[in-house]
Amino acid sequence: MAVAGSRRMIWAVEMAVIVMGLMAMASPTMQLSMKNPLQGAVQKINDLGLSVYAIIVTATSSEEAFNESGIFNPDSSVVCKGRTFLLGTIYGRKFVFVNSPDSPAINVAITMEILADKFNLLGIIYFGSAGALNDSLSIGNVAVPNLIGSTGLWTWQPINAPKEGLLKFGEFNYPEKGENWLGSVQYDRSTAYINGTFKERFWIRVTPEWQKIAEEICEVDSVQVVHGLRISSADTYVNNEAYKNFLYNTFKTSVVDKSSVAVALGAYTNELPFILFNGVSNYANGSDVKNSTLANANAVKVLNRFIQRLLLPVPASYDDE
Ligand SMILES: *[C@@H]1O[C@H](CO)[C@@H](O)[C@H](O)[C@H]1NC(C)=O
Ligand SMILES: *[C@@H]1O[C@H](CO)[C@@H](O)[C@H](O)[C@H]1NC(C)=O
Ligand SMILES: *[C@@H]1O[C@H](CO)[C@@H](O)[C@H](O)[C@H]1NC(C)=O
Ligand SMILES: *[C@@H]1O[C@H](CO)[C@@H](O)[C@H](O)[C@H]1NC(C)=O
Ligand SMILES: *[C@@H]1O[C@H](CO)[C@@H](O)[C@H](O)[C@H]1NC(C)=O
């Protein structure tokens, strides 16, 4: 996937040449007309002139943390389908930032698609808050997962189904395990667009090249960064100790959130590298202790360090693959 950026860039240049040719033929009134079918293409080419990294978040608290960090210098914005895309620079490089609606995560996927259609992207960076499933994580830690499992794809089986699903409601009866009319839930795999075809996958892998860049960040400003963990992602918000333990024990997932899988599948579809920074804001166990401000502020610290490393000149062999 490291190659994707440069392939897309070549395509962008070719597109720009074609559309500029067409623009030369079109009259000025035609170019300005909102009804002109070329309009979209012209708009896109304007944006395509530059290749940018995208940062996507799905909460106001994330946007606030990003603003407060002061790392981003916005210089323009474009509104598309109700989403505001801020263009600007970080350490002199062009970035586009968007705070997407979520709930359900399909909204995030739509934002991903707009991003990929509208900008010549070099990759996608997501950050936000997440719940901890792993007891060795604390509020304020930042997880950089390597695998994302979509744990909201359920086939809900009846009681006494010949083949029970992994989540058996009877095992959660209180005060004693037993039978339960809710039966069981079988977890299905995601359909992911990988290398030109759709494949069934339970785990979606974060871009290894980017993960490697992030792996050397162990601590930033006394924020603990945890690498190589798995994340559960689903539209269901988890704040229940029994289900928290079930997810951790069954899938060995250490954090849970709602947006990551949409970002991952959107990045795969567009053959773009991507990475996730999930700041721990709560324990997903019914406790009302929560600090999204801290989780996002810490995620931004790690994001900042990652961007510094990402923008370092890379050995030529890396680029030319
Ligand atoms: C963040 O900064 C941008 C650009 O200055 C501004 O438009 C936006 O309203 C700010 N967001 C928040 C949540 O403060
Ligand atoms: C896509 O194909 C390349 C080359 O065959 C391979 O190295 C890469 O691992 C594949 N990507 C995925 C996500 O399977
Ligand atoms: C839980 O987190 C700890 C500390 O980060 C890690 O070493 C351990 O492997 C994690 N457990 C699982 C199942 O991933
Ligand atoms: C939730 O987990 C945290 C951290 O392990 C713990 O301190 C807290 O007591 C737990 N709360 C509940 C309601 O189980
Ligand atoms: C969140 O954490 C910050 C930094 O530790 C602290 O100043 C703030 O009071 C906390 N907020 C809540 C709601 O606990």
Side-chain angles (χ1 to χ4, degrees):
M1 277 210 295
V3 205
S6 53
R7 229 193 299 132
R8 288 172 61 87
M9 240 185 304
I10 292 164
W11 175 84
V13 170
E14 285 170 353
M15 258 312 268
V17 171
I18 293 165
V19 175
M20 263 137 74
L22 290 170
M23 273 169 67
M25 283 156 39
S27 72
T29 40
M30 240 178 101
Q31 281 176 42
L32 290 173
S33 162
M34 289 306 285
K35 295 254 186 288
N36 183 349
L38 266 182
Q39 183 78 27
V42 172
Q43 181 61 49
K44 176 166 172 156
I45 295 316
N46 289 342
D47 297 328
L48 275 174
L50 288 165
S51 32
V52 297
Y53 290 102
I55 297 174
I56 184 166
V57 300
T58 57
T60 306
S61 52
S62 306
E63 184 176 338
E64 280 167 356
F66 187 62
N67 280 7
E68 270 162 35
S69 74
I71 63 169
F72 183 59
N73 303 298
D75 49 41
S76 63
S77 68
V78 46
V79 178
C80 184
K81 315 268 163 85
R83 282 101 167 143
T84 302
F85 298 88
L86 286 175
L87 276 152
T89 54
I90 298 179
Y91 303 119
R93 278 300 292 265
K94 272 281 176 196
F95 277 76
V96 56
F97 173 87
V98 62
N99 179 5
S100 171
D102 61 349
S103 298
I106 187 74
N107 282 314
V108 179
I110 293 169
T111 306
M112 288 286 297
E113 215 40 47
I114 299 169
L115 265 175
D117 282 351
K118 210 164 169 49
F119 301 96
N120 181 26
L121 297 181
L122 295 168
I124 311 270
I125 305 167
Y126 167 84
F127 78 88
S129 62
L133 305 174
N134 181 334
D135 288 337
S136 42
L137 298 180
S138 308
I139 291 177
N141 290 166
V142 176
V144 188
N146 62 340
L147 294 173
I148 304 134
S150 184
T151 45
L153 298 173
W154 288 16
T155 295
W156 203 322
Q157 308 277 22
I159 186 168
N160 296 327
K163 199 169 169 253
E164 282 188 300
L166 288 170
L167 176 62
K168 301 171 184 71
F169 287 97
E171 289 187 357
F172 298 86
N173 283 1
Y174 180 82
E176 273 172 43
K177 293 180 184 186
E179 293 292 301
N180 191 302
W181 286 109
L182 290 177
S184 65
V185 169
Q186 175 191 311
Y187 286 80
D188 299 325
R189 296 193 287 178
S190 301
T191 308
Y193 181 79
I194 297 172
N195 276 343
T197 52
F198 284 100
K199 297 197 166 68
E200 300 288 309
R201 287 273 190 285
F202 189 81
W203 298 109
I204 308 294
R205 187 172 288 282
V206 172
T207 307
E209 290 84 350
W210 278 22
Q211 222 190 301
K212 227 170 145 195
I213 295 172
E215 255 161 26
E216 280 156 57
I217 311 164
C218 299
E219 197 183 312
V220 186
D221 234 350
S222 73
V223 173
Q224 295 299 317
V225 191
V226 199
H227 297 279
L229 303 180
R230 299 172 177 194
I231 183 168
S232 273
S233 195
D235 280 326
T236 314
Y237 185 82
V238 179
N239 197 20
N240 173 293
E241 184 164 41
Y243 192 57
K244 174 209 121 167
N245 291 335
F246 169 83
L247 286 175
Y248 180 72
N249 294 327
T250 309
F251 300 108
K252 314 282 181 248
T253 44
S254 290
V255 275
V256 63
D257 89 337
K258 295 170 69 181
S259 303
S260 292
V261 74
V263 172
L265 293 178
Y268 268 89
T269 293
N270 291 289
E271 297 180 27
L272 290 166
F274 77 103
I275 193 161
L276 312 168
F277 298 98
N278 302 98
V280 174
S281 59
N282 64 296
Y283 294 115
N285 64 355
S287 132
D288 52 17
V289 180
K290 182 170 182 165
N291 197 333
S292 302
T293 310
L294 180 66
N296 279 293
N298 287 357
V300 172
K301 285 180 185 171
V302 182
L303 164 95
N304 182 18
R305 187 59 59 83
F306 171 76
I307 290 172
Q308 288 172 350
R309 299 186 53 82
L310 179 70
L311 299 182
L312 288 175
V314 287
S317 62
Y318 225 80
D319 262 341
D320 296 342
E321 271 184 316

